[in-house]
Structure formats: C-alpha cells, structure tokens
Amino acid sequence: MIEDLLAVILISSIFMSGVRRVKLVTRVFIFQSLAIGLIALKLGLDTGKMDYYILGLLTIVTKVIIIPIIINKSLNQLKVNREMDLIVNGFISYILTGIFIMISFGILSSSHDNYIKTGIALFIIGVLLMVARKKAITQMIGFLTFENGIVLFEISLTKMSLVIEAGIVFEGLLLALVMGIMIFHINKTFDSINTDFFENLKE
C-alpha cells in the first residue's frame, strides 16, 4: 500500500508541474497531501508509534482541509482560473522535472529509502512551481509542495521530534493564512497577483 501511495504522489506531482489551471493544481496538492497523511497513518498502524498518527492527522487536517479552504476562498475572491503567461511553459516544465528527478534518483540509486527519493522529487517540483510561475498563489502551492517533501523526510527519520513535526506542519498553515491575506490585499491595491508586476515598481 505504501509503495503504491508513493507512486501516486510522484506521478500526480509531476503532473502538477505543468498544469495551468490553478484549481487543478490545488486539487493535486490536496490529493498529494492526503496520500502523505495516509502513509503516516499506515506506518502508525504498522509500528504502533503515536508520532506517525499525530503527523498523519496534522497533515490531513491542515493540508487537506484547512489550507485548501484558504486557497479556494482566495481563488473565488480573486476570480483566478488559470495562468495564461508562465515563466516556463508547461511542456518545458515537464521535461525539466523529468530530467531533474532522473538525475536525483540516479544519484540515490544505492539508497533503498523511497521516502527520501520521493521527498526530493517534491522538492524539485515545489521549487519549479515557485520559480516558473508568476501568480503568487501558485508559488505558495509550490512552497507547500516543497514542504510536503520535508514531511516525507520526517517519515524516513523515525527519531524526528514530535515538536519539530508539528512545527513544520503548522508553519505551512501559517504561511497559507498570511499569503491568503497578502494576495488579497496585493490584488486589491495593484489589480494583479503576478509577482513579476513588482519588478516594474521603483523606489
């Protein structure tokens, strides 16, 4: 089951890297986070460790329920459906994602820890979303995807402190809250949430 969920996370995340529709990117992020939460719960069931249960529940509550509500509310207020002008187009994004993932998997070929391998893939896709997109809300999803990679690293490190686990998950929630407010006010002030718009501002 866990290997299947990791494969689903990897495939869906690669798909996310070139999608233009913001709501679809959000749905893939929800699906990805749910799979990570289920992995943590399954590990808790298999090992009996409470840390896995707590990490799984925190991930599901914050990233499957609360953060998507914040994102969807922002999308509805801003009436944003898709990104028309990407810094890196979807096809090139897919190619870059595939190349970087193959390189990273090749470097880690001697490792049998699929959590770390999938986590690195999420790092790559998260960074790509942050640098290849212009809309702040998609860049935020990229950061949260990057953070999901950190959660997979946590899962591979069985001695990770519960305080650190909770802190990382709630950091993502805080980011979503702050970014939701900032994006709304940026759009209200400048009538745009494209971050490249600010390059034209002079001091």
Side-chain angles (χ1 to χ4, degrees):
M1 175 184 174
I2 288 178
E3 293 299 323
D4 292 337
L5 287 171
L6 287 172
V8 166
I9 292 169
L10 185 59
I11 294 170
S12 63
S13 300
I14 292 173
F15 172 73
M16 172 195 283
S17 66
V19 173
R20 288 176 178 266
R21 293 186 179 276
V22 182
K23 286 190 176 181
L24 185 54
V25 174
T26 305
R27 291 191 188 103
V28 175
F29 168 74
I30 294 170
F31 189 63
Q32 173 196 111
S33 300
L34 177 61
I36 292 173
L38 291 175
I39 287 173
L41 292 176
K42 180 65 167 60
L43 288 172
L45 185 64
D46 292 343
T47 64
K49 292 184 178 180
M50 187 58 65
D51 285 10
Y52 285 128
Y53 284 115
I54 294 174
L55 179 60
L57 290 173
L58 282 175
T59 299
I60 291 172
V61 170
T62 58
K63 295 183 177 179
V64 178
I65 300 173
I66 299 177
I67 289 177
I69 289 174
I70 297 170
I71 293 174
N72 286 325
K73 185 176 181 181
S74 297
L75 290 175
N76 291 333
Q77 288 177 333
L78 301 172
K79 297 180 180 179
V80 174
N81 294 315
R82 61 187 300 169
E83 293 201 58
M84 301 303 297
D85 186 20
L86 305 179
I87 296 174
V88 179
N89 70 47
F91 180 71
I92 299 298
S93 294
Y94 285 133
I95 292 176
L96 290 175
T97 300
I99 291 173
F100 288 137
I101 288 176
M102 283 191 291
I103 291 172
S104 61
F105 273 48
I107 294 172
L108 295 171
S109 58
S110 60
S111 172
H112 299 291
D113 193 334
N114 289 326
Y115 299 116
I116 291 180
K117 291 179 179 178
T118 308
I120 288 177
L122 293 186
F123 287 169
I124 293 168
I125 293 162
V127 169
L128 189 61
L129 284 173
M130 285 188 280
V131 302
R133 303 300 181 96
K134 292 185 177 182
K135 292 195 181 299
I137 199 158
T138 317
Q139 293 172 347
M140 178 181 71
I141 294 173
F143 180 85
L144 293 169
T145 300
F146 182 91
E147 193 182 50
N148 273 346
I150 296 177
V151 174
L152 287 178
F153 268 89
E154 293 175 34
I155 290 174
S156 70
L157 301 173
T158 56
K159 295 182 180 180
M160 176 71 75
S161 166
L162 178 60
V163 175
I164 297 175
E165 294 173 355
I168 292 174
V169 173
F170 279 112
E171 179 189 8
L173 175 59
L174 181 62
L175 170 77
L177 287 169
V178 172
M179 285 295 291
I181 295 169
M182 286 180 62
I183 289 168
F184 175 76
H185 285 291
I186 288 170
N187 183 71
K188 187 176 180 181
T189 303
F190 299 104
D191 197 31
S192 174
I193 58 170
N194 282 3
T195 53
D196 64 339
F197 174 82
F198 299 103
E199 294 178 2
N200 300 322
L201 296 179
K202 304 294 184 180
E203 292 183 2

